[in-house]
Amino acid sequence: MSETSQPAAPADNLVTSSHTLPSGQAYTATTGTMVLREEVFTDGKFDGLRPKAEMFVTSYTLDGADPLSRPVTFAFNGGPGSSSVWLHLGVLGPRRVVMGDAGALLPPPYGLADNEESLLAVSDLVFIDPVSTGFSRAAEGEKAEPYHGFAGDLESVGELIRLWTTRNGRWMSPKFLAGESYGTVRAAGLADHLQSRYGMYLNGVMLISSVLDFITGEFNEGNDLAYVLYLPTYAAIAHYHGLHGDRPLQDVLREAEEFAARDYPWALARGSRLTEEERAATAARIAALTGLSEDYVDRVNLRIEHIRFFTELLRPRRQTVGRLDGRFTGWDPDAGREHFTADPSMSAIMGPYSAALNHYLRAELGYANDLPYEVLTSRVQPWSYKEFENAHIAVADRLAAAMRANPHLRVHVACGYHDGATPYYAAEHTFAHLPVPAELAANIEFSYYEAGHMMYVHEPSRLRQSADLAAFVLGHQP
């Protein structure tokens, strides 16, 4: 190469392969990077398109299907900083991880199996890795930071969806979004962004382990809401670990929800105005529900922060419990510390999903890339929320705006009872305050599972969730 020559402009790097579902239906998998470009203007003159990012995507399309009636679902996880591996190989895609479950984990190198309940049976699938996750990167010579924030993330993922839809002739297909965790923030924002920016109206949004209002999980002084909304999840986790005897889970949850709905917020709001008897009674009630001691509840001023809870609950057994999934247990090197050093549930799932994804892309889909596949990276931090300066982070209003503009937009909310990252009662609280007219209430449905954040690692939950999501997609017809 001469000194004056320029590097070649980046180009799409996609690999296509043919496969068959267990049902016998043939499908095509396409995986690799797609280049995002932006229009460049200088002094009002159009200078062409400049490569900005190369985003990694894996799509599955059923062979011979009519694109006018065949749905397509765009899926992603959250973090921020997570690739789409969890939804891809956990519940939606045609192949799934085999890793065991809480208390019965399989040893490395784990396994892959056909997903006989894949959503591909009823919808084409497009899995998207945001910039700096998976194999997605900023283009050569470009900075990644503009994509490491709420607005830049929405714009890049939205552009990828527009580009894929256009190139594959799918503007007239029923379209769905599926997001998990921070991916629900992205999905809610995208429902509004795709409409307002491109005129792309959706049929449905699937919110898995939803958090649309961050104040519901902020354990800050002066915000008692998070302590209240987490209480039913604490009760569920205590129940799983045998601290409620033989009581049915639903009985425990019903009691916890009733307390969280009235008496608990009242007691916290009273502050020092609580009498000694009222405070003692409140501490006893919280202790009975959460499995913690009355003395501990009193010492933390009736307010149980979530990492403290995961560290404290099984301290007598010298164990910690998971944040993503409270059914998982682990050990800390210091059994007296206040905050655990690692989430046992994340430790349990990271290895199986990393191994499966790295094997699957090369060995089964034929895609080779020597970059490390960033399953979950901190390279996106600090994540920018500049759009919410002087306000807490909330996107429920954006989802509501999309629903009001498109009254056919349906929403599915999936919750795990043992999810200590995005509690189900917090999701219920957010949707109870969603600014939509009563006529649109029927467009929202909830599903609950006796598992955690990635509820599909629990086999009974995976089977039921797969059926629930398929039914939601199939329900798009007028």
Side-chain angles (χ1 to χ4, degrees):
M1 179 181 294
S2 68
E3 294 183 1
T4 59
S5 63
Q6 298 294 320
D12 291 354
N13 176 24
L14 298 169
V15 175
T16 299
S17 54
S18 298
H19 308 268
T20 305
L21 289 171
S23 63
Q25 296 172 291
Y27 67 92
T28 297
T30 303
T31 189
T33 54
M34 293 176 61
V35 180
L36 299 191
R37 295 175 170 85
E38 70 172 1
E39 300 177 57
V40 179
F41 294 86
T42 304
D43 296 329
K45 295 181 179 179
F46 180 55
D47 287 341
L49 299 174
R50 180 173 68 184
K52 294 293 292 181
E54 299 177 65
M55 292 185 68
F56 188 72
V57 60
T58 301
S59 65
Y60 302 97
T61 54
L62 200 69
D63 294 352
D66 179 6
L68 296 182
S69 60
R70 174 73 172 168
V72 57
T73 298
F74 299 93
F76 34 77
N77 280 87
S82 178
S83 67
S84 61
V85 62
W86 316 105
L87 288 177
H88 188 175
L89 296 183
V91 63
L92 299 181
R95 298 279 278 166
R96 64 180 181 87
V97 172
V98 179
M99 56 163 277
D101 194 8
L105 292 171
L106 298 178
Y110 319 106
L112 270 171
D114 284 335
N115 182 6
E116 297 187 9
E117 295 77 29
S118 171
L119 194 66
L120 183 56
V122 299
S123 172
D124 290 342
L125 302 170
V126 182
F127 295 96
I128 301 169
D129 289 344
V131 175
S132 298
T133 74
F135 288 134
S136 297
R137 301 291 188 271
E140 184 176 350
E142 298 292 328
K143 294 182 178 181
E145 285 75 11
Y147 303 100
H148 297 167
F150 175 77
D153 175 73
L154 278 190
E155 291 165 3
S156 57
V157 175
E159 171 64 4
L160 190 283
I161 290 173
R162 182 200 68 82
L163 197 60
W164 190 94
T165 301
T166 300
R167 290 182 178 177
N168 289 274
R170 303 302 294 270
W171 272 89
M172 297 298 286
S173 298
K175 288 177 283 294
F176 295 81
L177 301 180
E180 181 176 283
S181 195
Y182 182 84
T184 64
V185 176
R186 183 182 293 122
L190 280 171
D192 181 48
H193 174 74
L194 291 172
Q195 285 184 186
S196 59
R197 176 65 180 88
Y198 303 122
M200 181 183 289
Y201 282 47
L202 303 171
N203 294 82
V205 177
M206 294 169 256
L207 304 177
I208 300 168
S209 302
S210 175
V211 53
L212 302 188
D213 190 341
F214 282 24
I215 201 170
T216 62
E218 293 178 352
F219 294 90
N220 298 328
E221 186 174 350
N223 176 36
D224 287 337
L225 185 61
Y227 301 99
V228 170
L229 298 180
Y230 269 71
L231 186 78
T233 293
Y234 296 158
I237 295 172
H239 174 273
Y240 180 84
H241 292 288
L243 301 179
H244 282 283
D246 59 359
R247 292 184 64 191
L249 174 61
Q250 291 302 320
D251 286 354
V252 173
L253 293 178
R254 189 177 305 110
E255 180 185 351
E257 290 171 10
E258 289 175 355
F259 180 62
R262 293 183 181 273
D263 294 349
Y264 190 23
W266 176 85
L268 296 184
R270 294 290 292 168
S272 62
R273 293 169 293 184
L274 276 179
T275 66
E276 289 186 11
E277 293 78 12
E278 289 169 338
R279 182 182 177 92
T282 301
R285 189 83 182 276
I286 295 171
L289 287 167
T290 63
L292 302 173
S293 70
E294 292 181 33
D295 177 65
Y296 178 84
V297 173
D298 183 66
R299 283 187 284 115
V300 298
N301 198 26
L302 310 179
R303 293 164 174 84
I304 305 167
E305 191 277 331
H306 70 323
I307 303 300
R308 277 179 155 184
F309 173 80
F310 307 138
T311 310
E312 182 69 24
L313 180 66
L314 299 184
R315 191 182 298 278
R317 306 179 194 176
R318 297 196 171 221
Q319 290 182 313
T320 58
V321 300
R323 174 177 177 265
L324 293 177
D325 192 327
R327 299 175 305 124
F328 288 81
T329 59
W331 304 271
D332 207 89
D334 180 352
R337 75 170 72 244
E338 184 177 19
H339 298 134
F340 62 30
T341 55
D343 176 356
S345 50
M346 174 55 76
S347 300
I349 64 178
M350 179 62 79
Y353 278 80
S354 297
L357 191 284
N358 280 282
H359 166 81
Y360 176 62
L361 292 180
R362 279 183 175 263
E364 299 191 19
L365 299 188
Y367 180 80
N369 193 322
D370 287 340
L371 286 173
Y373 185 89
E374 299 288 350
V375 171
L376 185 63
T377 180
S378 61
R379 295 169 67 181
V380 303
Q381 302 298 336
W383 192 258
S384 172
Y385 294 106
K386 63 182 180 180
E387 298 78 15
F388 302 96
E389 189 173 358
N390 298 322
H392 69 269
I393 301 159
V395 295
D397 59 331
R398 302 186 187 219
L399 177 61
M403 294 179 69
R404 293 193 303 267
N406 173 16
H408 298 289
L409 178 63
R410 298 161 51 244
V411 180
H412 173 89
V413 187
C415 304
Y417 286 132
H418 302 103
D419 178 1
T422 58
Y424 79 93
Y425 198 58
E428 291 181 356
H429 173 87
T430 297
F431 276 89
H433 295 83
L434 197 70
V436 295
E439 295 92 321
L440 297 182
N443 288 14
I444 303 168
E445 66 179 36
F446 272 74
S447 292
Y448 300 88
Y449 307 93
E450 292 187 23
H453 198 66
M454 286 86 162
M455 57 279 293
Y456 38 82
V457 304
H458 176 239
E459 184 64 4
S461 295
R462 183 188 72 81
L463 293 172
R464 192 160 63 82
Q465 183 176 35
S466 298
D468 291 343
L469 295 177
F472 177 74
V473 171
L474 290 173
H476 74 85
Q477 295 97 339

